[in-house]
């Protein structure tokens, strides 16, 4: 609201002093109530606007109305007032700005003594950790590492590994086939590898004996996930081909690897089995690490080995001579062994994990226990 300047009738110095005092106290009072830039603009206009601002009114109501003899005195006071109004309006803005700046400063204040945000350093995933440990064991035995694709052809995953055309392992129950491949010849059709054994073939195509490789990697099977199954898991394949490689070498190598992995007390047992690409084939069992192979624990049957004292861990065998036919190796000159093991299975035993899904859910509370 525009401040109404009183009309003066009495132009005596005392009356003028009183009127000036009144104006100044209104000026200061309004100034102290200003809280925003908009407030300030209104304030400035009220006092200084050319059209009807207080200063303009003073000119009309005081200066022009003053009788001749008082004009000089009134003029002087009006001028002084003008200076004070301008100064006060300017100071009010400066004050407002410095208040805003200090609010901003306060809001942006940084307490450098507060503890920082701790970012946890990532750690090896237990599956990768187990895989690397296993690779390390074989590396020390002179094996090198080979890798192959996860999307494979039927040739590498099955045909070259001596799977007969209608072998159940090719069944849609197990294998995840890539769609839209039916135009191609069977051997060229794409699928997700169901094991790491195709890397055996790729390695033998690439190099001549002596061959000593381990092939770690992801494999895929059409299994519904539950505590012991996962459609994606990891394997480590092993292959050694040279002159005079015997089943003894296979036994010695795997016995050493199992002892290196689970402790020198574990025993291994080779149990007859079947794989199309090895002959003879065996499943390797280790003495139960939970009951020390006794089959009983805490006065009852050991649940981990179903009281048998043995835990089945991997498949192996001597490379079937038919396989050499697919890679141009002289089967009369060379012999070799191969093995394949599930990495999750080993990690589950090693760390006492009761659900394979824990490896894939990405729950930090589980994973950080391995860091
Ligand atoms: N590839 C076989 C499997 O996935 C395991 C295996 C590898 C067996 C090498 C013998 C030799 O079941």
């Amino acid at each position: 609201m525009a401040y109404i300047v009183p009309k003066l009738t009495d132009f005596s110095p005392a009356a003028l002093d009183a009127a000036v005092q009144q104006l100044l106290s209104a000026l200061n009072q309004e100034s102290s109530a200003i809280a925003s830039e908009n407030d300030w603009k209104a304030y400035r206009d009220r006092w200084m606007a050319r059209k009807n601002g207080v200063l303009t009114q003073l000119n009309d109501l005081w200066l022009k109305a003053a009788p001749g003899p008082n004009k000089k005195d009134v003029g002087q006071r009006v001028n002084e007032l003008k200076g004070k109004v301008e100064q006060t309006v300017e100071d009010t803005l400066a004050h407002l700005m410095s208040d805003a700046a200090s609010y901003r400063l306060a809001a942006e204040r940084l307490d450098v003594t507060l503890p920082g945000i701790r970012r946890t350093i990532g750690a090896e995933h237990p599956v990768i950790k187990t895989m690397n440990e296993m690779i390390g064991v074989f590396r020390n035995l002179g094996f090198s590492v080979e890798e192959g694709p996860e999307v494979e052809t039927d040739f590498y995953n099955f045909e070259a590994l001596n799977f007969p055309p209608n072998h159940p392992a090719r069944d849609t129950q197990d294998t995840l086939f890539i769609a839209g491949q039916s135009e191609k010849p069977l051997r060229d059709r794409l699928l997700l590898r169901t094991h790491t054994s195709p890397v055996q073939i790729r390695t033998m195509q690439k190099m001549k004996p002596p061959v000593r490789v381990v092939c770690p990697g992801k494999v895929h099977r059409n299994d519904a996930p539950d505590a012991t199954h996962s459609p994606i898991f990891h394997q480590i394949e092993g292959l050694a081909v040279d002159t005079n490689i015997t089943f003894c070498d296979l036994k010695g190598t795997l016995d050493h690897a199992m002892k290196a992995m689970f402790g020198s007390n574990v025993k291994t047992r080779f149990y007859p089995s079947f794989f199309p690409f090895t002959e003879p084939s065996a499943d390797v069992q280790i003495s139960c690490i939970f009951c020390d192979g006794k089959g009983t624990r805490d006065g009852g049957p050991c649940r981990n080995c179903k009281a048998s004292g043995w835990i089945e861990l991997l498949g192996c065998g001597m490379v079937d001579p038919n396989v050499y036919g697919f890679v141009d190796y002289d089967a009369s000159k060379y012999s070799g062994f191969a093995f394949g093991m599930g990495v999750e299975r080993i990690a589950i035993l090693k760390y006492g994990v009761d659900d394979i899904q824990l490896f894939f859910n990405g729950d930090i509370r589980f994973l950080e226990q391995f860091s």
Side-chain angles (χ1 to χ4, degrees), residues 281-302:
S281 304
D283 283 329
V284 180
Q285 304 174 346
I286 59 166
S287 53
C288 180
I289 52 174
F290 300 98
C291 65
D292 283 332
K294 288 199 272 295
T296 55
R297 191 153 54 111
D298 303 329
C302 174

Side-chain angles (χ1 to χ4, degrees), residues 65-334:
N70 298 101
K71 268 219 196 308
K72 193 175 163 213
D73 189 20
V74 173
Q76 217 167 18
R77 287 170 202 265
V78 167
N79 264 346
E80 255 169 51
L81 254 176
K82 210 174 143 190
K84 278 193 179 142
V85 167
E86 281 168 358
Q87 189 62 49
T88 307
V89 168
E90 198 176 301
D91 289 351
T92 305
L93 180 64
H95 189 81
L96 187 71
M97 286 315 183
S98 84
D99 266 7
S102 59
Y103 279 135
R104 233 191 349 262
L105 267 185
E108 288 172 3
R109 212 181 79 162
L110 185 67
D111 184 349
V112 294
T113 66
L114 282 174
I117 297 166
R118 205 179 279 268
R119 294 198 187 281
T120 45
I121 300 170
E124 251 177 355
H125 188 279
V127 170
I128 301 299
K129 186 172 164 155
T130 306
M131 197 148 92
N132 286 339
E133 267 173 49
M134 208 72 209
I135 290 169
V137 169
F138 288 103
R139 204 190 276 280
N140 289 343
L141 292 173
F143 286 72
S144 54
V145 177
E146 284 292 325
E147 289 182 297
E150 281 173 49
V151 178
E152 264 297 6
T153 60
D154 187 279
F155 175 79
Y156 285 107
N157 198 75
F158 293 129
E159 187 181 335
L161 287 165
N162 202 32
F163 280 79
N166 289 308
H167 193 279
R170 293 178 178 224
D171 211 342
T172 45
Q173 287 297 306
D174 282 313
T175 309
L176 292 157
F177 293 94
I178 307 287
Q181 303 285 304
S182 54
E183 299 293 294
K184 295 182 183 171
L186 179 63
R187 55 158 54 190
D188 295 335
R189 292 185 198 165
L190 298 175
L191 46 80
L192 299 182
R193 68 178 180 192
T194 57
H195 50 180
T196 43
S197 301
V199 192
Q200 286 188 36
I201 306 299
R202 290 183 174 276
T203 305
M204 288 190 280
Q205 282 181 337
K206 217 163 59 174
M207 51 174 103
K208 293 286 162 211
V211 167
R212 278 178 187 75
V213 291
V214 283
C215 322
K218 224 173 256 168
V219 301
H220 306 254
R221 290 193 193 171
N222 187 18
D223 276 330
D226 63 26
T228 54
H229 294 84
S230 166
I232 299 176
F233 59 102
H234 298 76
Q235 287 188 334
I236 296 175
E237 191 82 9
L239 174 70
V241 183
D242 204 342
T243 51
N244 297 319
I245 297 234
T246 69
F247 202 91
C248 274
D249 299 310
L250 172 60
K251 282 190 80 170
T253 303
L254 288 179
D255 186 70
H256 168 82
M258 293 304 111
K259 286 182 162 66
M261 205 63 186
F262 293 104
S264 52
N265 285 335
V266 299
K267 295 186 188 65
T268 53
R269 175 162 96 163
F270 288 69
Y271 211 78
S273 184
F274 174 78
F275 300 100
F277 43 95
T278 48
E279 184 61 32
S281 304
D283 283 329
V284 180
Q285 304 174 346
I286 59 166
S287 53
C288 180
I289 52 174
F290 300 98
C291 65
D292 283 332
K294 288 199 272 295
T296 55
R297 191 153 54 111
D298 303 329
C302 174
R303 277 183 291 118
N304 297 87
C305 61
K306 298 206 181 78
S308 72
W310 296 95
I311 291 177
E312 198 172 295
L313 213 51
L314 62 123
C316 67
M318 302 306 289
V319 178
D320 191 307
N322 283 351
V323 172
Y324 296 134
F326 286 98
V327 295
D328 276 334
Y329 272 21
D330 184 349
S332 67
K333 200 167 153 197
Y334 299 116

